Amino acid sequence: MFLLTLPTEISFRPNNSPFNHKSHNKIRTRQRLVFSSRKNKWRCSATEQPQSQPQPRALQQKRQSKNKKSQSDAEKGIDPVGFLTKHDITHKAFAQFLRERYKSLKDLTDEIFNRHLNLQEMASGFEILGMHRNVQHRMDYMEWAPGARYCALVGDFNGWSPTENCAREGHFGHDDYGYWFVILEDKLREGEEPDRLYFQQYNYVDDYDKGDSGVTIEEIFKKANDEYWEPGEDRYIKSRFEIAAKLYEQIFGPNGPQTEEELEDIPDAETRYKAWKEQHKDDPPSNLPPFDVIDNGKNYDIFNIVVDPVWREKFRAKKPPIAYWLETRKGRKAWLKKYTPGIPHGSKFRVYLNTPDGPLERVPAWATYVLPDADGMQAFAVHWEPPPECAYKWKHKHPEVPKSLRIYECHVGISGQDPKIASFTDFTKKVLPHVKDAGYNAIQLIGVVEHKDYFTVGYRVTNFYAVSSRYGTPDDFKHLVDEAHGLGLLVFLDIVHSYAAADEMVGLSRFDGSNDCFFHTGKRGHHKIWGTRMFNYGDHDVLHFLLSNLNWWVVEYHIDGFNFHSLSSMMYTHNGFATFTGDMEEYCNQYVDKDALLYLIFANEILHALHPNIVTIAEDATLYPGLCEPTSQGGLGFDYFVNFSASEMWLEFLENVPDNEWSMSKIASTLMARRQNADKMLLYAENHNQSISGGRSFAEILFGETREHSSIMKESLLRGCSLHKMIRLITFTIGGCAYLNFMGNEFGHPNRVEFPMSSNNFSFVHANRRWDLMANGVHNGLFSFDKDMMYLDRNEKVLSRGIPNLHHVNDTNMVISYLRGPFLFIFNFHPTNSYERYGVGVEEAGEYEVILNTDEKRYGGEGLIGRDQYIRRTITRRVDGLRNCLEVPLPSRSAQVYKLSRILRV
């Protein structure tokens, strides 16, 4: 555990951080947030503090003091409403809400520091909670269950006995916060004797044969006496009263003076010291003290010590006798010979709780490997402690975070082609190479955290610290992440902290028999639509659980980032199911959960401080103001936010709007929404929601059954192929620096996703991916185009070239054109009209060359633009407010990307 002493005041800044993680020697953060301990309170400059009628001079002094504090906060970069000023937002109620939220943030920080050494400890609960190996040949188990009266561990290691391994008052018991502590002693093998040293330690992991030399404890102690201790130093004083008692015995004991005459006057200390030194003048030098005490007679100089320089250097050079103590440690080899584990690797267990409602058995909340219930059997945790020689060893480092993200969203279970649940191993072997070849630089995994019901896709999480056992073991998942890193792919996790499964036997609901352990009580504790449980973010121990969970996935599994799922569910008491008009009042009224917002601020600050290269993505359908603004300026601190409206618009167009009625203005405004943080926007044309949540994929809408019947008109197939490519290209290149695609959509997967459930007789027909379709036909063309689209960004850095300059939107011609760096993007969505020389404006005069054309035959197009037409030269004519004009051939339902290849100087 890496715990540092908390300074009086700490800040999330490069040169002043309360965190010190072993993986990072230097912490670099982009935003700053200053916290104050409770002993040194300070206030935000924007917060008014009432005071009783000061006199004019006192009032002036107070104002001066306030101005100084305001300046101090400003120097630290703290402004609770800073982003409002930056974006010229003048809503007073929301500004006041931000100020009050900032004050609550400071109060919450003070509360945390009352119980935790620092914020790293707050986010490292997994180091002590759950099941952990102790070096004193035992296992320690800790669980939070404040509503329980009794706690025990039951499993196949103790015959499921609720009394053998328990915590009870006066023995191990629990603390005032409801944390129970149970010890599982390792068992002596037959014929072995207990260790003579009570605190005998064993090295279970590193160099697990070290210390098994057979040297006895007596030999080690004798070696320490001979080599380290000075004469007399090896004896410990048993009590702090021992010296005083001996002096009392010498003066007033039976062998001491019996009368005042015999006692005589006690000489001063210097005289007695000189007499003692004279008495021992013939003793060996090592027995004499190497210093003299001399009183110079000065009032302020009580005593002065003159030390032998040789002795002083010897004393300073002396180190604690740790080396000798370490020799008493035994290695794993000695432990295996002497003990059997109190709970062996692979053992099944649960926690037994006695509650006011009676006895309960639960899967531990901090369990790291869980087997959900099957065949009517109750779920249980599995103790995962493989031998050191079998434990997974990491091979690759985290890849560097690129300036633009091309994210490939995956679900491991449906990633195989066979009608079954695919495994981590299958995914590692077959899908990861495809993702790398397709040009993506990150994968986002959904449904990885343990959940009871497969058909829920993984969003009703039951065990937040466990990878889903239906895909493999924890080591299998580590191998997946490690191989992804080896391919240069970042690994993001879709994290669901906005709600939890309502299952009581395997999840957290009514964990300790009470209704308010992890969640709100009453109606607020239940999602109005989904029936899930809602966390109580105002509870300190719930924060401890959730913040530690984020840190756990990074520390244990080397995750590179998180997509925070469905923030609307947690940020509003109506769970996001309300009509939003865009009025700022809706973001600060009585329906906003301030505790949830504070949790998100802490999550972002702690993650970015502990792991500077982490990436956090906000999935909020309401687009809460300040999602990606620095927390020090009143924001929530995310790196990216998801623009849901893009995919909703495309779905609406494809299903309900005729091709010739598509609005170019709506496309442009929707895709470029919220230009304030356009560089932080993550866009996707379609993700898993539309195909998993009962809807159809775009390919299913566009193609229907045309791929199976050659008699279907060629025009229908061409339409679907053209729109599929154009929709993806404009969504990919017109937004921010991040793009996401769901697994299979890059080649136009023809089927929806449907998980096995009772309504389909638990069929796996639609719970897989048809990778074989990429071999030829329209799907091969779509994949080739998507691959070249990804490579366009990889080679030309298109997404990281700033916000596009959208300069041409023509609803009549159905043409959109924009510039992004030296690149010109032009789209003709018209279903029938083609243009031989369509003029659009460009800033630089020169030659522009086509580098990507959706209409090429290898992409399933018609190839109407010949290669001899790929290079176009500008003409001097002011168009679209730009100095030059480029006239280009523009077939219907096609798009081209031009690059400025040569600049012409006029």
Side-chain angles (χ1 to χ4, degrees):
M1 191 182 299
F2 295 83
L3 301 179
L4 304 180
T5 303
L6 180 69
T8 304
E9 182 176 271
I10 62 176
S11 67
F12 288 94
R13 290 190 279 184
N15 298 321
N16 183 17
S17 173
F19 303 101
N20 182 16
H21 193 267
K22 59 184 178 181
S23 300
H24 306 284
N25 296 324
K26 186 177 180 181
I27 294 179
R28 295 172 284 118
T29 57
R30 291 150 297 139
Q31 58 261 22
R32 300 180 295 175
L33 176 61
V34 178
F35 294 110
S36 171
S37 73
R38 54 192 171 91
K39 294 183 179 179
N40 186 22
K41 290 183 177 291
W42 53 279
R43 68 181 179 213
C44 167
S45 60
T47 305
E48 297 293 339
Q49 299 287 344
Q51 186 170 344
S52 57
Q53 300 180 358
Q55 297 297 322
R57 183 176 181 82
L59 178 61
Q60 183 179 7
Q61 291 176 347
K62 178 169 179 60
R63 286 175 177 172
Q64 291 175 352
S65 174
K66 181 178 178 181
N67 290 336
K68 288 181 181 179
K69 290 188 177 182
S70 299
Q71 277 186 339
S72 175
D73 278 355
E75 289 172 0
K76 294 165 184 156
I78 302 297
D79 185 357
V81 296
F83 84 91
L84 297 184
T85 304
K86 182 172 70 174
H87 298 305
D88 294 326
I89 301 175
T90 57
H91 196 276
K92 294 183 179 180
F94 188 72
Q96 183 61 30
F97 177 82
L98 293 183
R99 295 187 181 99
E100 293 173 356
R101 191 183 74 188
Y102 178 68
K103 182 179 184 302
S104 300
L105 180 68
K106 294 195 297 180
D107 293 341
L108 179 59
T109 306
D110 292 342
E111 180 185 344
I112 289 174
F113 288 161
N114 285 332
R115 287 179 54 183
H116 294 276
L117 183 63
N118 55 29
L119 294 176
Q120 180 181 359
E121 185 187 69
M122 172 70 172
S124 300
F126 56 85
E127 294 181 345
I128 58 173
L129 281 136
M131 191 79 73
H132 293 279
R133 167 63 60 183
N134 190 293
V135 293
Q136 296 169 23
H137 50 79
R138 73 177 201 229
M139 296 295 296
D140 293 342
Y141 174 79
M142 187 178 290
E143 189 67 80
W144 182 58
R149 298 173 176 173
Y150 175 89
C151 177
L153 283 177
V154 296
D156 50 16
F157 65 95
N158 64 4
W160 300 90
S161 169
T163 58
E164 184 172 338
N165 301 105
C166 61
R168 53 189 185 274
E169 296 292 344
H171 188 58
F172 302 125
H174 63 87
D175 62 12
D176 294 338
Y177 300 106
Y179 287 89
W180 296 84
F181 185 59
V182 180
I183 289 179
L184 305 178
E185 297 282 356
D186 293 335
K187 300 173 184 177
L188 275 172
R189 295 184 184 274
E190 187 175 354
E192 296 288 340
E193 296 182 359
D195 289 311
R196 294 178 60 186
L197 289 180
Y198 179 74
F199 292 104
Q200 178 67 62
Q201 293 187 359
Y202 287 83
N203 186 358
Y204 292 93
V205 182
D206 301 324
D207 299 326
Y208 49 88
D209 284 337
K210 186 177 180 180
D212 302 330
S213 60
V215 180
T216 63
I217 294 174
E218 290 79 4
E219 291 174 317
I220 293 174
F221 283 172
K222 184 177 185 305
K223 184 179 178 182
N225 288 336
D226 295 340
E227 298 178 0
Y228 182 85
W229 300 109
E230 297 291 339
E233 285 183 342
D234 58 339
R235 193 187 69 79
Y236 295 97
I237 297 176
K238 296 179 181 180
S239 169
R240 60 192 177 95
F241 300 110
E242 180 177 342
I243 294 178
K246 286 191 174 183
L247 182 62
Y248 186 90
E249 173 77 18
Q250 182 180 353
I251 298 177
F252 302 107
N255 297 323
Q258 301 298 311
T259 63
E260 289 188 14
E261 291 76 12
E262 293 180 6
L263 178 63
E264 300 179 346
D265 292 334
I266 299 178
D268 61 274
E270 185 176 356
T271 302
R272 286 186 286 114
Y273 170 69
K274 290 180 178 178
W276 180 88
K277 194 170 183 180
E278 178 65 23
Q279 180 183 355
H280 293 277
K281 63 181 178 179
D282 296 327
D283 288 2
S286 59
N287 279 5
L288 295 177
F291 48 81
D292 286 322
V293 179
I294 299 174
D295 186 356
N296 292 330
K298 298 178 181 179
N299 293 333
Y300 61 85
D301 185 14
I302 301 176
F303 58 83
N304 189 19
I305 300 177
V306 180
V307 184
D308 178 9
V310 176
W311 178 87
R312 180 174 58 190
E313 292 303 319
K314 180 180 178 182
F315 179 81
R316 288 179 176 176
K318 226 172 200 185
K319 297 180 180 179
I322 296 177
Y324 300 99
W325 174 248
L326 291 179
E327 288 191 48
T328 67
R329 297 179 69 188
K330 299 297 182 181
R332 181 173 175 82
K333 185 177 179 181
W335 173 79
L336 286 172
K337 178 177 178 295
K338 192 166 189 175
Y339 292 96
T340 58
I343 176 169
H345 168 62
S347 297
K348 304 171 184 176
F349 70 98
R350 288 194 287 267
V351 59
Y352 176 95
L353 301 170
N354 196 346
T355 73
D357 293 334
L360 301 171
E361 284 188 17
R362 294 283 191 256
V363 174
W366 300 74
T368 59
Y369 191 34
V370 176
L371 294 180
D373 55 346
D375 301 327
M377 300 295 292
Q378 186 177 342
F380 47 77
V382 177
H383 177 55
W384 190 257
E385 189 190 16
E389 62 270 21
C390 299
Y392 188 81
K393 295 176 177 58
W394 294 92
K395 297 178 292 184
H396 303 289
K397 296 181 179 179
H398 294 262
E400 292 186 6
V401 178
K403 292 183 179 179
S404 62
L405 292 175
R406 304 183 298 274
I407 305 172
Y408 195 83
E409 188 180 38
C410 317
H411 186 283
V412 173
I414 67 171
S415 64
Q417 188 166 318
D418 298 328
K420 65 175 185 178
I421 299 177
S423 66
F424 288 134
T425 303
D426 297 332
F427 185 91
T428 303
K429 291 180 180 179
K430 300 175 182 178
V431 180
L432 285 182
H434 167 76
V435 177
K436 177 65 175 179
D437 178 61
Y440 292 85
N441 57 17
I443 60 172
Q444 180 170 300
L445 299 171
I446 63 174
V448 165
V449 187
E450 187 59 79
H451 49 286
K452 175 186 174 184
D453 299 313
Y454 186 52
F455 70 85
T456 63
V457 192
Y459 284 113
R460 295 183 183 179
V461 175
T462 52
N463 309 99
F464 286 79
Y465 286 80
V467 294
S468 181
S469 57
R470 55 177 55 87
Y471 310 134
T473 68
D475 284 0
D476 291 336
F477 183 60
K478 289 180 180 179
H479 178 62
L480 185 158
V481 175
D482 203 15
E483 289 301 309
H485 287 168
L487 293 172
L489 299 172
L490 298 175
V491 181
F492 299 156
L493 195 65
D494 199 46
I495 198 76
V496 187
H497 281 184
S498 46
Y499 52 85
D503 301 84
E504 296 184 7
M505 300 306 293
V506 63
L508 300 176
S509 185
R510 294 182 58 85
F511 181 77
D512 61 355
S514 65
N515 193 38
D516 55 356
C517 183
F518 286 92
F519 309 106
H520 286 291
T521 57
K523 291 183 179 180
R524 191 177 175 188
H526 296 266
H527 196 287
K528 299 177 180 179
I529 307 297
W530 300 334
T532 50
R533 296 304 309 270
M534 306 306 295
F535 285 107
N536 179 8
Y537 302 100
D539 188 285
H540 175 98
D541 297 286
V542 174
L543 288 179
H544 183 46
F545 179 83
L546 294 176
L547 293 172
S548 297
N549 185 239
L550 295 173
N551 193 21
W552 158 262
W553 288 105
V554 182
V555 172
E556 181 69 14
Y557 292 108
H558 294 197
I559 295 300
D560 301 290
F562 297 98
N563 176 66
F564 284 74
H565 173 75
S566 189
L567 295 187
S568 309
S569 301
M570 62 188 290
M571 294 195 301
Y572 307 97
T573 57
H574 52 62
N575 306 134
F577 286 87
T579 301
F580 277 81
T581 63
D583 189 340
M584 295 292 289
E585 180 70 24
E586 296 167 337
Y587 300 113
C588 58
N589 58 23
Q590 70 273 23
Y591 300 110
V592 177
D593 189 339
K594 186 188 295 183
D595 293 330
L597 296 177
L598 294 182
Y599 161 69
L600 293 175
I601 292 173
F602 267 112
N604 277 298
E605 283 296 335
I606 291 176
L607 280 174
H608 285 100
L610 289 177
H611 314 286
N613 295 321
I614 205 76
V615 175
T616 58
I617 304 170
E619 190 180 285
D620 172 29
T622 69
L623 294 179
Y624 193 86
L627 281 173
C628 295
E629 298 289 348
T631 55
S632 59
Q633 300 296 299
L636 299 184
F638 286 95
D639 296 301
Y640 296 93
F641 72 93
V642 179
N643 184 352
F644 286 89
S645 57
S647 61
E648 295 171 356
M649 175 197 67
W650 292 126
L651 185 63
E652 172 69 16
F653 278 4
L654 290 174
E655 290 189 327
N656 302 314
V657 182
D659 293 5
N660 61 340
E661 295 181 14
W662 285 21
S663 169
M664 300 300 103
S665 299
K666 182 175 182 180
I667 291 175
S669 61
T670 302
L671 295 180
M672 297 196 69
R674 295 179 65 89
R675 291 182 63 90
Q676 296 167 351
N677 282 313
D679 58 324
K680 302 289 187 180
M681 182 166 58
L682 184 150
L683 275 175
Y684 56 81
E686 58 176 328
N687 77 342
H688 68 275
N689 285 333
Q690 287 159 311
S691 55
I692 285 179
S693 305
R696 296 181 295 168
S697 69
F698 287 3
E700 189 172 5
I701 298 171
L702 288 168
F703 301 130
E705 299 298 324
T706 59
R707 67 189 184 280
E708 303 291 346
H709 302 282
S710 58
S711 60
I712 300 296
M713 295 178 61
K714 178 182 177 182
E715 288 76 7
S716 179
L717 186 62
L718 181 62
R719 170 189 177 270
C721 188
S722 299
L723 289 178
H724 194 275
K725 291 176 290 185
M726 293 180 68
I727 287 172
R728 273 158 177 73
L729 180 61
I730 192 171
T731 306
F732 179 59
T733 58
I734 201 175
C737 297
Y739 172 80
L740 180 142
N741 169 71
F742 181 61
M743 177 176 60
N745 288 344
E746 73 277 10
F747 62 86
H749 199 280
N751 298 329
R752 64 188 181 280
V753 177
E754 190 176 277
F755 282 78
M757 60 186 79
S758 58
S759 60
N760 59 17
N761 294 321
F762 300 98
S763 171
F764 283 86
V765 171
H766 295 299
N768 56 7
R769 296 282 88 179
R770 293 285 308 278
W771 302 107
D772 58 306
L773 295 175
M774 287 191 299
N776 49 51
V778 64
H779 300 288
N780 178 266
L782 293 178
F783 174 65
S784 296
F785 174 77
D786 192 87
K787 182 177 178 180
D788 287 351
M789 190 172 68
M790 294 301 111
Y791 276 62
L792 176 66
D793 179 62
R794 193 190 73 170
N795 299 331
E796 303 289 352
K797 314 298 181 188
V798 173
L799 299 190
S800 56
R801 291 184 180 268
I803 301 172
N805 175 17
L806 181 63
H807 64 279
H808 186 95
V809 179
N810 191 314
D811 285 307
T812 303
N813 296 334
M814 299 187 68
V815 174
I816 296 176
S817 181
Y818 51 89
L819 292 163
R820 195 163 190 174
F823 304 98
L824 171 69
F825 299 84
I826 184 165
F827 297 80
N828 178 12
F829 280 94
H830 203 287
T832 57
N833 291 354
S834 298
Y835 309 101
E836 289 188 8
R837 299 180 67 86
Y838 194 93
V840 293
V842 292
E843 189 65 30
E844 292 285 352
E847 289 185 350
Y848 287 77
E849 180 180 1
V850 174
I851 58 175
L852 188 63
N853 176 16
T854 64
D855 193 46
E856 286 191 10
K857 290 185 177 181
R858 62 195 180 103
Y859 301 147
E862 295 182 289
L864 297 178
I865 303 178
R867 285 285 176 179
D868 58 336
Q869 297 177 287
Y870 269 28
I871 296 179
R872 313 295 293 182
R873 179 173 291 192
T874 59
I875 58 177
T876 306
R877 188 174 75 212
R878 195 168 188 85
V879 176
D880 299 328
L882 301 175
R883 293 182 295 179
N884 297 283
C885 174
L886 189 68
E887 293 183 341
V888 299
L890 201 55
S892 62
R893 287 203 189 105
S894 71
Q896 290 81 43
V897 181
Y898 286 84
K899 180 181 180 181
L900 178 62
S901 58
R902 189 161 70 94
I903 298 176
L904 298 179
R905 300 298 180 187
V906 180

